Amino acid sequence: MKKDGNLAILLRGLIAENPVFVLILGTCPSLATTTTVIGALSMGLAAMAVLICSNAVISLLRRIIPDTVRIPCYIVIIAGFVTLVQMVMHAYLPALYEMLGVYLALITVNCIILGRAEMFASKNPVGKAILDGIGMGLGFTLALLSMGTVREVLGSGSFAGFAIPFLSEHTVDFFAKAPGGFMVFGIMIAVVNAVSHGKAPKKKSFSCEGCPSLGLCHGESVCAEQAEKEAK
């Protein structure tokens, strides 16, 4: 299979480059919306819809958007689709809209969406950008769904709101709370690393290089200056 083949682009977001368990992006919604299966699935599908649409538009406009203002333009495009998703959900799925709350609006600044816009959609044709959006969106959704399943089953004794015999009477509240979310998150990362036999990409540097928001500052020099000030 070619490295940049369509199938490879579609599948790499599931495990090899899973945005949550491998790239460690989108941690906030991953922990906040996974107390229930319905909440996790809803957030995953909403983010995937925004990711696919924003990837497609950014890819179509990649030769038009000036490089100097690309990040603000990407954010405006993403915010537009997030607003559309909010309006549709508010109109037709008010219960889910209330359940997701502020985290629905925060899809705008989700590192997964902005990161794929900067690292992939802006450099590839629209067909591949859409496949990347589908793959990464599915990876994000499956990650949230797996965490939500473990946390709801163990923490509430139910699945998608339906009580599970015996477990519903012997719940472990720890998993429904923030510490339990972090524990499940860490275990899932370890499982994915074991399944991929440690071949998943690992972050080698925490410098500005590769940061999707690099265009908003002036590069490593500014970060270095800021770090020096904080050290003093």
Side-chain angles (χ1 to χ4, degrees):
M1 187 188 304
K2 293 173 62 177
K3 183 179 180 181
D4 294 323
N6 291 339
L7 186 58
I9 293 173
L10 184 63
L11 296 179
R12 66 186 174 194
L14 299 181
I15 294 181
E17 294 184 21
N18 186 278
V20 178
F21 297 142
V22 176
L23 303 182
I24 319 297
L25 299 173
T27 304
C28 182
S30 298
L31 293 170
T33 64
T34 55
T35 53
T36 65
V37 169
I38 297 299
L41 182 60
S42 301
M43 173 56 70
L45 293 177
M48 182 166 65
V50 173
L51 183 55
I52 294 170
C53 295
S54 60
N55 263 19
V57 172
I58 289 169
S59 178
L60 286 170
L61 300 178
R62 69 186 188 280
R63 302 185 189 281
I64 300 175
I65 298 175
D67 189 63
T68 53
V69 294
R70 69 188 188 284
I71 300 297
C73 289
Y74 297 165
I75 293 175
V76 169
I77 293 170
I78 294 169
F81 285 115
V82 170
T83 302
L84 182 61
V85 169
Q86 282 185 289
M87 293 172 65
V88 171
M89 191 172 288
H90 194 190
Y92 297 103
L93 299 167
L96 288 179
Y97 178 82
E98 293 296 331
M99 179 187 295
L100 296 179
V102 68
Y103 296 104
L104 189 59
L106 288 176
I107 293 176
T108 302
V109 291
N110 191 312
C111 297
I112 300 170
I113 299 175
L114 183 58
R116 299 318 295 176
E118 172 70 1
M119 304 302 294
F120 194 91
S122 63
K123 299 177 176 64
N124 290 276
V126 64
K128 288 187 176 182
I130 291 175
L131 287 175
D132 180 74
I134 295 173
M136 289 293 168
L138 283 174
F140 182 64
T141 302
L142 290 175
L144 264 61
L145 189 58
S146 62
M147 288 182 62
T149 298
V150 173
R151 296 184 67 188
E152 184 178 352
V153 169
L154 297 180
S156 302
S158 62
F159 179 82
F162 295 96
I164 301 174
F166 178 76
L167 288 180
S168 60
E169 300 174 359
H170 299 83
T171 59
V172 183
D173 293 340
F174 171 79
F175 288 100
K177 298 178 181 178
F182 277 102
M183 179 178 176
V184 173
F185 186 42
I187 292 173
M188 290 288 186
I189 291 174
V191 169
V192 170
N193 188 62
V195 169
S196 63
H197 303 291
K199 295 180 180 179
K202 294 180 174 59
K203 193 173 183 64
K204 297 180 180 179
S205 172
F206 290 88
S207 66
C208 292
E209 185 179 359
C211 174
S213 300
L214 181 61
L216 295 176
C217 64
H218 299 288
E220 296 184 1
S221 59
V222 172
C223 292
E225 292 175 6
Q226 182 65 28
E228 186 177 349
K229 290 180 182 178
E230 293 177 356
K232 292 180 180 179

